[in-house]
Every structure is written in C-alpha cells, then in structure tokens.
C-alpha cells in the first residue's frame, strides 16, 4: 500500500493529466518538515489553486476517477474555505452533494 504522501503524489499526477482540471487549477503537494525523531512529513496535503474557469463538477469527477484506480480506495477529504466534504463511497448522490457544496463555497468566496 502506498503512503499518504505517495497517494497524494498519485492524485496530483492524475489531476495534472486531466485537461479540464489542468486548464483551471494547479495542484501542489505540501508537507511540513518532520520534527527530530519523526520519519517523513508530519502532514501532507494536496493544495489546489483554482482560477476563474474552475469547475467543481470536473474536479470531483476527476477525483472519483482517480480514487477508482486505487487498490484501497482511500477516503478523501476536500476543503474549500470553511466547507469540508468527505468522499467515502462515491455514490452518485455523494458526488452530487460534493459538487453542490464546492460550488456553494466558491460562490461564498466570490461574495466576500
């Protein structure tokens, strides 16, 4: 099984190869430096910097497609502003709920 950082790098590569996501967002893996005595990074995060043409639906579908390629199908948490969404089963209802929540969070960010 891949480490958390390995999974994030896999997702980063997947998102970078998706033309719809790549056109409107940049994906960067961030980690903190380990403290003395710790192995690896203390926290690894995939940060997605989005532009004006960003589509929540395209992003969520790319994320779901990547997750389906993983042997262990990891739980994925998405945060945008104060909104947090967790994808576990990737049912159509869960995908729709995640897309709506991300679109609403984007609208709130524009209103601020």
């Amino acid at each position: 099984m891949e480490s958390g950082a390995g999974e994030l790098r896999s997702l980063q590569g997947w998102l970078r190869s998706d033309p719809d996501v790549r056109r409107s967002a940049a994906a960067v893996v961030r980690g903190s430096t380990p403290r003395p005595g710790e192995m690896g990074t203390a926290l690894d995060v995939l940060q997605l910097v989005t532009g004006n043409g960003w589509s929540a639906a395209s992003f969520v579908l790319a994320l779901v497609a990547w997750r389906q390629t993983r042997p262990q199908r990891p739980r994925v948490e998405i945060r945008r502003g104060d909104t947090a969404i967790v994808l576990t089963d990737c049912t159509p209802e869960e995908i729709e709920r995640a897309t709506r929540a991300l679109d609403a969070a984007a609208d709130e960010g524009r209103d601020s």
Side-chain angles (χ1 to χ4, degrees):
M1 186 167 128
E2 283 191 65
S3 69
E7 291 285 5
L8 286 176
R9 292 201 190 289
S10 170
L11 176 55
Q12 177 188 33
W14 186 275
L15 293 174
R16 285 180 172 173
S17 70
D18 185 290
D20 291 331
V21 175
R22 184 180 62 236
R23 198 176 6 253
S24 61
V28 179
V29 173
R30 302 256 187 241
S32 60
T33 306
R35 288 181 247 165
E38 290 182 338
M39 293 178 60
T41 57
L43 176 66
D44 292 303
V45 174
L46 179 69
Q47 181 178 30
L48 194 66
V49 180
T50 60
N52 290 338
W54 183 75
S55 165
S58 292
F59 168 71
V60 171
L61 291 176
L63 182 61
V64 168
W66 167 81
R67 189 177 173 276
Q68 290 173 341
T69 69
R70 312 316 300 159
Q72 295 294 321
R73 299 216 173 141
R75 172 186 170 273
V76 177
E77 183 174 333
I78 307 164
R79 291 187 176 272
R80 182 167 190 153
D82 293 335
T83 302
I85 301 112
V86 176
L87 296 176
T88 54
D89 299 326
C90 293
T91 62
E93 295 79 18
E94 190 177 61
I95 292 167
E96 177 64 27
R97 191 171 44 253
T99 301
R100 279 196 317 269
L102 288 171
D103 281 338
D107 290 342
E108 287 176 17
R110 282 190 283 270
D111 294 341
S112 301

